[in-house]
Amino acid sequence: MKLTLEQPKAIASQNRVMLFDLALGGHHGNYIRYLIDYWHEHNLAGNLDIVVLPQFLEFHHDVVETITNFANERVKIIPLQPEEAANLQPKNSFKQRARRNFQEWDLLCRYAQLLRATECLIMYFDTCELPLTVGKAAPCPVSGIYFKPTFHYGTLARDCPSRREIIQRWREKLTLSRILRHPQLKTLFCLDPLAIEPLKQFQPQANIVYLPDPVEVAAPAIEIETWKDNLGIEPNRLVLMFFGALDRRKGLYQLVEALSVLPPEICRHLSILLVGKGNSSDLSQIEPQLARLKKATPLQIIQHYQFVSESEVQGYFQLADLILAPYQKHVGMSGILLLSAAAGKPVLSSDYGLMGELVARYDLGMSVDANYPSEIALGITQFVLTYPQLAADQPRRQQFAREHSIAEYATAIFQNISIPSST
């Protein structure tokens, strides 16, 4: 859907909230769409201006359609000027990322001033840490969603930090102690429930709020056998799905190596479903290995390398028997855990950080040291040998999904933003 928008005019309003998000893909569109839905449902007063990259209009067309369907002139998407977006630094190195953070902060301030925002919600707060640490001022109070705290990982059971991770955590503590004292910081929303109390120790007076990562809990049921037939999944096989970005950081290399050491009697029970988009360099290295596995083992391997629309995502999780998430040193929450729990399906997860801790606390499946393919292979073998016990829909899994409902997410944000209902 093509949408042409005029550049914003400086119009004063008693309540004018600006959402600022210069990221694409993943959860970013959904996070914004859920807030628009809440705004419309509760008929909130004032204006909601959403500042995004120009590509957002095409990449997240469902968000644009939501605004169009509501026909609410007080809710607008404001894309950056094309030249502003083109001038943004890439994020390939620490130096480039630092420059990009200051560029994004300058744009945030420019648009907040232009729109006369009374409050700004930074949808990806991690990108603004450096400007806030050095005391950069904003035209209005700011709040933000903090995705990836790691400073508290030393308290987790399986933590064995490298020297680099120790330095990073020390640096993070230093920056947070300054950020939480910034006079314009109104609310820090954090997606990691284990980080809330440690964050408050830096500044007891700061407003730090746990924000549940949202997931649609009641997804419509699908005709599972029809979906399996369409994908070519052979009968009487357990479906192990690797979903999302098919790349190195998600543990794709370790997974393929783990599949190569599975015994034949396990392989003949399995259909490996790879769903998502990957970069060409990773796939070019993985494809020859997958071809060899198809010839040398009884495994069925199905590659579905394409973007999956939001309406189809839960369908894939419903047809899978086990979700594979052997992430490599993943920091923060994972949408895969939420989607799996909402579908009632177990995960085979990395035991690192928050992911490993949540899997253990909520019986979300099993966790292994995903750095080692042999450990992943043992986990898969255990699943096959104990199925359907591990695949049973555990009550705590359902509880985990309910605690991360869309309503919980949107309510937590708007209870901490100064917007009254107009009804």
Side-chain angles (χ1 to χ4, degrees):
M1 177 180 177
K2 188 69 175 176
L3 186 70
T4 302
L5 294 175
E6 296 179 357
Q7 282 302 301
K9 298 178 181 179
I11 302 174
S13 174
Q14 186 176 2
N15 297 296
R16 198 172 192 106
V17 173
M18 184 180 88
L19 307 185
F20 186 82
D21 194 353
L22 301 189
L24 299 169
H27 62 271
H28 293 278
N30 285 339
Y31 273 29
I32 291 173
R33 181 164 57 87
Y34 298 153
L35 295 182
I36 295 170
D37 288 340
Y38 185 99
W39 186 286
H40 178 74
E41 180 183 351
H42 294 269
N43 195 24
L44 298 184
N47 293 75
L48 183 67
D49 297 315
I50 306 156
V51 178
V52 296
L53 290 172
Q55 303 96 302
F56 186 97
L57 303 180
E58 296 294 338
F59 208 94
H60 295 288
H61 58 85
D62 56 329
V63 180
V64 179
E65 289 176 358
T66 297
I67 295 175
T68 303
N69 293 338
F70 288 157
N72 189 338
E73 293 185 354
R74 295 183 291 107
V75 179
K76 293 181 180 179
I77 291 185
I78 313 294
L80 298 184
Q81 294 278 8
E83 57 270 23
E84 291 173 331
N87 289 333
L88 287 170
Q89 282 277 325
K91 297 182 283 187
N92 300 324
S93 67
F94 175 80
K95 192 173 183 179
Q96 287 179 330
R97 287 192 292 272
R99 288 177 178 173
R100 169 73 173 250
N101 289 349
F102 282 100
Q103 283 182 310
E104 292 195 10
W105 181 261
D106 290 341
L107 287 167
L108 181 153
C109 293
R110 176 181 183 272
Y111 278 83
Q113 196 165 27
L114 184 66
L115 295 163
R116 296 187 183 178
T118 55
E119 189 166 341
C120 175
L121 176 62
I122 306 167
M123 301 299 291
Y124 193 13
F125 185 80
D126 307 52
T127 63
C128 294
E129 289 183 57
L130 280 177
L132 287 167
T133 299
V134 299
K136 285 280 190 177
C140 63
V142 297
S143 300
I145 302 175
Y146 190 19
F147 278 77
K148 297 180 178 181
T150 64
F151 70 95
H152 62 304
Y153 275 19
T155 62
L156 303 184
R158 296 181 178 89
D159 186 63
C160 298
S162 65
R163 183 173 180 273
R164 181 179 179 181
E165 288 172 321
I166 292 172
I167 294 173
Q168 162 59 26
R169 294 174 190 179
W170 175 84
R171 185 189 298 122
E172 192 176 334
K173 290 178 181 179
L174 181 63
T175 59
L176 285 169
S177 65
R178 294 178 63 87
I179 288 170
L180 291 173
R181 287 174 171 80
H182 194 289
Q184 289 174 299
L185 180 65
K186 181 179 179 183
T187 303
L188 181 65
F189 299 99
C190 183
L191 295 170
D192 184 342
L194 309 182
I196 302 302
E197 291 306 317
L199 280 168
K200 290 179 179 179
Q201 293 177 14
F202 291 113
Q203 174 56 283
Q205 285 74 41
N207 189 31
I208 300 167
V209 175
Y210 168 58
L211 183 67
D213 202 344
V215 67
E216 187 176 358
V217 177
I222 64 163
E223 292 290 339
I224 292 178
E225 293 307 318
T226 301
W227 274 59
K228 287 185 176 181
D229 289 342
N230 292 337
L231 290 166
I233 296 172
E234 296 173 1
N236 303 317
R237 285 184 180 263
L238 296 174
V239 180
L240 276 56
M241 183 174 71
F242 186 99
F243 185 91
L246 304 173
D247 57 28
R248 183 183 298 271
R249 65 189 178 88
K250 295 293 184 73
L252 183 60
Y253 288 73
Q254 287 79 3
L255 172 62
V256 173
E257 190 173 340
L259 296 177
S260 69
V261 300
L262 287 175
E265 59 270 22
I266 296 296
C267 291
R268 64 174 54 97
H269 293 288
L270 301 178
S271 180
I272 308 301
L273 181 58
L274 306 176
V275 182
K277 299 193 75 172
N279 64 64
S280 56
S281 61
D282 285 326
L283 293 182
S284 64
Q285 295 186 55
I286 291 300
E287 279 298 300
Q289 299 179 55
L290 294 176
R292 286 194 293 271
L293 282 172
K294 288 180 179 180
K295 291 182 179 180
T297 73
L299 279 171
Q300 183 187 29
I301 300 176
I302 298 174
Q303 296 112 302
H304 193 64
Y305 301 153
Q306 64 184 51
F307 175 77
V308 176
S309 67
E310 188 64 31
S311 60
E312 296 179 310
V313 169
Q314 275 287 3
Y316 282 97
F317 280 81
Q318 289 181 44
L319 70 85
D321 296 295
L322 177 69
I323 312 301
L324 301 169
Y327 293 3
Q328 302 298 296
K329 295 284 187 178
H330 177 79
V331 174
M333 177 56 80
S334 167
I336 294 295
L337 293 185
L338 298 166
L339 289 165
S340 302
K345 300 304 173 72
V347 297
L348 176 61
S349 164
S350 163
D351 63 1
Y352 178 79
L354 180 62
M355 280 186 71
E357 194 72 19
L358 291 176
V359 169
R361 290 191 181 195
Y362 285 90
D363 297 325
L364 301 181
M366 65 183 83
S367 58
V368 300
D369 188 341
N371 292 307
Y372 299 100
S374 59
E375 294 295 312
I376 299 173
L378 283 174
I380 292 174
T381 301
Q382 180 184 351
F383 174 77
V384 174
L385 295 178
T386 58
Y387 184 86
Q389 179 182 346
L390 280 174
D393 192 5
Q394 299 287 344
R396 286 177 61 75
R397 206 175 295 159
Q398 299 171 357
Q399 176 192 350
F400 180 73
R402 287 194 298 268
E403 290 175 359
H404 291 80
S405 69
I406 295 169
E408 293 286 342
Y409 156 80
T411 301
I413 286 182
F414 283 113
Q415 281 182 344
N416 289 276
I417 288 181
S418 305
I419 296 292
S421 171
S422 63
T423 57

